[in-house]
Amino acid sequence: MTEMKYYEFNKHEYYALIKAKTAQKSMEIYVENVAGESVEQIKNEGTPDLLNKYDAFVKYGLAPKEVDENFEETVKYFEEETEGLLLIDGSLL
């Protein structure tokens, strides 16, 4: 089983923190859920930063959420083995 990685899109038009098994998959998730016309466009804007699990969790845990979550729910969602969006630029909500 491939370990989950955490990608921070902070050089792009909109911020996002995405958990995915590969950088390629993280860019696909970014295009599908955040912004961009194609993965190639996102690559041209810059490579997302790879965060360690601790730093990603701190950013995720401290960020304001649309839905109230207790600490247990926050940890559970973060630890799920499903690739997806953890944080998105607040201007897109």
Side-chain angles (χ1 to χ4, degrees):
M1 177 186 272
T2 305
E3 189 173 320
M4 200 63 69
K5 296 179 181 161
Y6 303 91
Y7 297 93
E8 183 176 41
F9 289 78
N10 55 5
K11 301 174 192 94
H12 300 78
E13 184 177 1
Y14 297 105
Y15 178 86
L17 179 60
I18 294 173
K19 60 180 177 175
K21 294 180 180 174
T22 66
Q24 175 70 25
K25 182 64 177 176
S26 75
M27 288 184 262
E28 291 170 10
I29 292 169
Y30 187 90
V31 170
E32 291 169 16
N33 295 282
V34 182
E37 296 296 318
S38 68
V39 170
E40 280 306 313
Q41 175 195 351
I42 299 308
K43 283 181 182 178
N44 290 337
E45 289 179 14
T47 306
D49 292 334
L50 181 62
L51 300 182
N52 65 50
K53 187 174 184 177
Y54 174 79
D55 289 340
F57 181 75
V58 169
K59 287 179 185 263
Y60 177 69
L62 294 176
K65 313 273 188 309
E66 262 193 320
V67 180
D68 287 334
E69 284 183 336
N70 64 35
F71 184 73
E72 243 178 59
E73 291 168 330
T74 299
V75 171
K76 183 180 176 186
Y77 182 74
F78 185 83
E79 291 287 334
E80 284 179 356
E81 285 298 316
T82 306
E83 295 175 303
L85 192 60
L86 288 172
L87 296 174
I88 190 169
D89 194 299
S91 65
L92 296 173
L93 299 175

